[in-house]
Amino acid sequence: MPSGSPFSWRFVAPLYMGSTLNPINSSMIATALVPIAAYMHVSVAQTTILVTAPI
Protein backbone atom coordinates (compact mmCIF):
# COMPACT_ATOMS: atom_id res chain seq x y z
CA MET A 1 0.00 0.00 0.00
CA PRO A 2 1.55 3.39 -0.98
CA SER A 3 2.22 5.88 1.79
CA GLY A 4 1.61 9.62 1.67
CA SER A 5 -1.33 11.76 0.71
CA PRO A 6 -4.39 10.03 -0.74
CA PHE A 7 -4.74 12.88 -3.27
CA SER A 8 -2.11 13.97 -5.77
CA TRP A 9 -0.92 17.55 -6.12
CA ARG A 10 -2.83 17.80 -9.42
CA PHE A 11 -6.07 17.47 -7.47
CA VAL A 12 -5.14 19.57 -4.44
CA ALA A 13 -3.37 22.50 -6.17
CA PRO A 14 -6.49 23.85 -7.96
CA LEU A 15 -8.45 23.60 -4.72
CA TYR A 16 -5.85 25.70 -2.91
CA MET A 17 -5.70 28.21 -5.74
CA GLY A 18 -9.49 28.53 -5.91
CA SER A 19 -9.72 29.05 -2.17
CA THR A 20 -7.01 31.69 -2.33
CA LEU A 21 -8.43 33.60 -5.31
CA ASN A 22 -12.10 33.56 -4.23
CA PRO A 23 -11.82 36.50 -1.76
CA ILE A 24 -10.01 38.57 -4.39
CA ASN A 25 -12.78 37.87 -6.90
CA SER A 26 -15.47 38.79 -4.38
CA SER A 27 -13.69 42.05 -3.52
CA MET A 28 -13.43 43.02 -7.18
CA ILE A 29 -17.12 42.33 -7.78
CA ALA A 30 -18.17 44.23 -4.63
CA THR A 31 -16.07 47.22 -5.69
CA ALA A 32 -17.62 47.24 -9.16
CA LEU A 33 -21.27 46.99 -8.05
CA VAL A 34 -21.85 50.74 -7.60
CA PRO A 35 -20.44 51.76 -11.02
CA ILE A 36 -22.36 48.94 -12.70
CA ALA A 37 -25.59 50.03 -10.99
CA ALA A 38 -25.01 53.66 -11.97
CA TYR A 39 -24.31 52.74 -15.60
CA MET A 40 -27.41 50.56 -15.84
CA HIS A 41 -29.61 53.07 -13.92
CA VAL A 42 -30.73 50.45 -11.40
CA SER A 43 -30.29 50.06 -7.65
CA VAL A 44 -27.28 48.34 -6.11
CA ALA A 45 -29.65 45.63 -4.80
CA GLN A 46 -30.79 44.82 -8.34
CA THR A 47 -27.18 44.73 -9.51
CA THR A 48 -26.29 42.35 -6.67
CA ILE A 49 -29.05 39.99 -7.80
CA LEU A 50 -27.72 40.20 -11.36
CA VAL A 51 -24.20 39.29 -10.25
CA THR A 52 -25.13 36.53 -7.79
CA ALA A 53 -27.84 34.82 -9.83
CA PRO A 54 -26.85 31.27 -10.77
CA ILE A 55 -26.50 30.58 -14.44
Side-chain angles (χ1 to χ4, degrees), residues 12 16 23 36-37 46:
V12 177
Y16 286 146
I36 291 170
Q46 290 174 319

Side-chain angles (χ1 to χ4, degrees), residues 12 26 28 50 52 55:
V12 177
S26 298
M28 289 172 47
L50 173 72
T52 60
I55 297 174

Side-chain angles (χ1 to χ4, degrees), residues 7-31:
F7 300 109
S8 73
W9 67 271
R10 290 178 190 229
F11 177 78
V12 177
L15 295 177
Y16 286 146
M17 290 177 63
S19 297
T20 303
L21 294 175
N22 191 25
I24 297 170
N25 183 40
S26 298
S27 298
M28 289 172 47
I29 291 172
T31 304

Side-chain angles (χ1 to χ4, degrees), residues 29 33 36-37 40 42-55:
I29 291 172
L33 282 178
I36 291 170
M40 297 179 70
V42 296
S43 69
V44 175
Q46 290 174 319
T47 308
T48 305
I49 293 171
L50 173 72
V51 171
T52 60
I55 297 174

